[in-house]
Amino acid sequence: MHHFSNGTAFASALRMSGTTVSKALQYRFDAIRLAEIERLEKKLRGLTEDQRRSVEAITADVIHAIARVPRRALNDDIPTPTLEALVHLFELPLS
C-alpha cells in the first residue's frame, strides 16, 4: 500500500486484495474527515483544546465505524471486478 501526503492510499493493480482495498478505504475516509475539519476551522476556532480533541476523537470514531463494515466484508476472496468498482467509486488511486 502506498500513501500520499494528503492521507489517501492506493492499492497496486498487481497486489489488489480485499484487505488492501479495505485499508485504502479507511485512509480515504480519514483523509476526508481531516479535510473537513480543516475546512471548518473557522467554526471550530472557538473550541477549547479539550473540545477540539473531543471533536477529533468523535469524528475518528465515526469514520472507524463506517469503515468497519467494508473491512469485515472485504476479504482476499473478493473478485477483482468488485475491488476495481470500489476503487473507482471511492476514487482510490491505482499505481
Side-chain angles (χ1 to χ4, degrees):
M1 168 125 20
H2 304 282
H3 301 276
F4 292 109
S5 61
N6 68 357
T8 59
F10 64 90
S12 167
L14 298 175
R15 294 177 284 149
M16 188 185 314
S17 69
T19 302
T20 304
V21 171
S22 175
K23 288 178 183 177
L25 280 170
Q26 173 70 46
Y27 287 114
R28 177 73 168 133
F29 295 161
D30 200 51
I32 292 168
R33 176 186 76 84
L34 293 172
E36 287 301 302
I37 287 175
E38 185 176 319
R39 185 181 68 81
L40 297 169
E41 184 63 35
K42 285 183 182 178
K43 292 181 180 182
L44 300 175
R45 201 172 283 154
L47 298 179
T48 67
E49 192 60 34
D50 283 344
Q51 290 170 328
R52 178 67 183 240
R53 279 193 295 270
S54 290
V55 167
E56 295 270 347
I58 290 166
T59 58
D61 287 348
V62 169
I63 292 304
H64 289 235
I66 292 168
R68 189 176 305 126
V69 173
R71 187 171 52 244
R72 287 181 186 162
L74 291 172
N75 57 50
D76 292 335
D77 296 329
I78 300 293
T80 300
T82 302
L83 296 174
E84 289 171 347
L86 288 168
V87 167
H88 178 73
L89 179 66
F90 289 100
E91 299 178 344
L92 305 174
L94 292 176
S95 61

